[in-house]
């Protein structure tokens, strides 16, 4: 049963990455029309909300374990601005996980996916978004803080921006 769950989970992840790649305006051979850059600073509040480890492998921290979360997202003044929701699959116990999560904001979503370290800063690719962040790309630097929050600095690039709505196209 566990093997079937892991296989199904891996299939969902592969499908997500394939869909994100297929929608990318930055595929080889495409023309980049502009490089609008935005920096967004958020705080993921791991002190509250849902945070659940699912122990699927050997007892304790082991490859294949899953961490699922749905927590408040704050601005740099610690005022709630949305949700920080996703999952991580443990790849190297005590060191790294492969993660995918979505920042849900009033004007759209931003999805990130990649390797996150248990300690220190991690750079995680931005794979897309919706609303104002439709087709956005970039990188998120996420750093754990001593108060069980994470500072997330997103450097976002828009290849073409709608002048009316501000959304990436």
């Amino acid at each position: 049963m566990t093997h079937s769950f892991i296989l199904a989970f891996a299939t969902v992840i592969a499908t997500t990455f394939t869909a994100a790649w297929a929608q990318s305006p930055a595929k080889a051979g495409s023309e980049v029309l502009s490089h609008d850059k935005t920096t967004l600073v958020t705080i993921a509040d791991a002190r509250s909300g849902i945070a659940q480890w699912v122990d699927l492998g050997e007892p304790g921290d082991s490859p294949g374990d899953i961490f699922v979360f749905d927590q408040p997202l704050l601005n740099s003044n610690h005022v709630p601005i949305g949700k920080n929701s996703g999952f991580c699959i443990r790849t190297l116990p005590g060191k790294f996980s492969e993660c995918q999560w979505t920042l849900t904001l009033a004007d759209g979503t931003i999805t990130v996916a990649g390797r996150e370290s248990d300690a220190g800063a991690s750079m995680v690719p931005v794979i897309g978004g919706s609303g104002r962040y439709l087709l956005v790309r970039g990188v998120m630097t996420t750093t754990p803080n001593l108060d069980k929050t994470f500072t997330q600095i997103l450097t976002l690039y828009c290849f073409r921006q709608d002048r009316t709505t501000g959304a990436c196209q």
Side-chain angles (χ1 to χ4, degrees), residues 41-149:
V41 178
T42 63
I43 307 292
D45 187 357
R47 300 170 298 189
S48 61
I50 297 168
Q52 179 70 47
W53 276 101
V54 181
D55 196 351
L56 295 175
E58 296 175 16
D61 189 8
S62 62
D65 291 348
I66 299 174
F67 179 67
V68 180
F69 57 94
D70 187 67
Q71 300 165 332
L73 185 65
L74 313 173
N75 67 16
S76 57
N77 295 319
H78 290 260
V79 174
I81 57 169
K83 289 294 224 170
N84 196 63
S85 310
F87 60 89
C88 295
I89 300 173
R90 179 57 97 192
T91 54
L92 185 57
K95 301 279 186 186
F96 299 103
S97 295
E98 283 295 320
C99 303
Q100 180 176 327
W101 71 94
T102 300
L103 289 72
T104 303
L105 304 159
D107 53 357
T109 65
I110 301 168
T111 301
V112 300
R115 188 175 194 179
E116 186 175 29
S117 175
D118 285 6
S122 299
M123 294 186 73
V124 183
V126 173
I127 61 171
S130 68
R132 179 175 178 86
Y133 309 101
L134 184 65
L135 300 178
V136 73
R137 295 292 183 265
V139 65
M140 169 196 280
T141 301
T142 179
T143 307
N145 301 316
L146 296 177
D147 66 352
K148 295 188 179 181
T149 63

